[in-house]
Amino acid sequence: MHAAIIERFPDWATARPQRIQRPAAEWVALGSEYDIGHVVRLWQRVMRFHIDQLPGDESVMWQLADKLQGRCSDIVRIQEAIVSIERGHMAAFREQIDWLWEFLADEHGDHRYRWCRDVGEWIRIETELPPITGLEDARRAVDIIDALMDVAANNVVYLREDA
């Protein structure tokens, strides 16, 4: 009769994983490369005048700008002209586009224009500073941001502490 060999611990060569697996990222499709590029370019233009509002070097908006210019990014990808970002960065993205939307709404708000009967359209009040962004660019960006808000609302969870 042969004695049974009982191994208490498995052999390291068979039990140890060969490579640590990174969890699969969940991607959220934002929209077309053309539309997202317009919003990012407008955001960059505005940031030139609001340096105090600049986010860190690794923020999602800088990653978007880099990826749209063909550089490498871990949190942004473009496939078939659709821009996607990792779900974990949606809150930071939402904060940035919220800020941009509020800025554009203030810069081109009704309080900065008056109706001109001679021309038959709204014109900017002379005492107001010239806008950073053009009116048509701002309107297009606001429409794109409104569409992005639906995507962001479904993919961002804010935790609030009740006061």
Side-chain angles (χ1 to χ4, degrees), residues 1 11 15 29-31 41 48-49 63 65 73 79 89-90 93 96 99 106 112 115-116 118 127-128 131-132 146 159:
M1 188 157 106
D11 184 13
L30 297 178
R41 280 189 302 276
R48 290 179 188 162
F49 296 91
Q63 295 275 336
S73 173
Q79 290 181 332
H89 297 278
M90 282 299 294
F93 176 71
Q96 290 296 312
W99 183 88
D106 180 57
R112 301 202 188 269
W115 179 256
C116 181
D118 298 336
T127 57
E128 291 291 331
I132 295 171
D146 284 341
L159 299 176

Side-chain angles (χ1 to χ4, degrees), residues 41-51 99-100 103-104 107-108 112-113 124 129-135 137-138:
R41 280 189 302 276
L42 209 60
W43 177 82
Q44 287 177 316
R45 186 180 313 154
V46 170
M47 283 295 136
R48 290 179 188 162
F49 296 91
H50 292 278
I51 295 175
W99 183 88
L100 180 62
F103 174 83
L104 294 174
E107 183 177 52
H108 294 288
R112 301 202 188 269
Y113 290 87
R124 193 156 178 99
L129 292 173
I132 295 171
T133 61
L135 183 59
D137 284 341

Side-chain angles (χ1 to χ4, degrees), residues 30-44 59-85 93 97 140 144 148:
L30 297 178
S32 75
E33 185 176 357
Y34 183 73
D35 288 343
I36 302 303
H38 178 75
V39 171
V40 170
R41 280 189 302 276
L42 209 60
W43 177 82
Q44 287 177 316
S59 82
V60 68
M61 292 303 280
W62 291 123
Q63 295 275 336
L64 274 168
D66 287 347
K67 189 65 174 182
L68 289 167
Q69 292 177 357
R71 296 187 201 110
C72 184
S73 173
D74 293 336
I75 64 171
V76 178
R77 74 177 181 187
I78 301 173
Q79 290 181 332
E80 298 177 8
I82 301 296
V83 178
S84 302
I85 66 172
F93 176 71
I97 61 171
R140 182 166 173 250
I144 295 167
L148 287 172

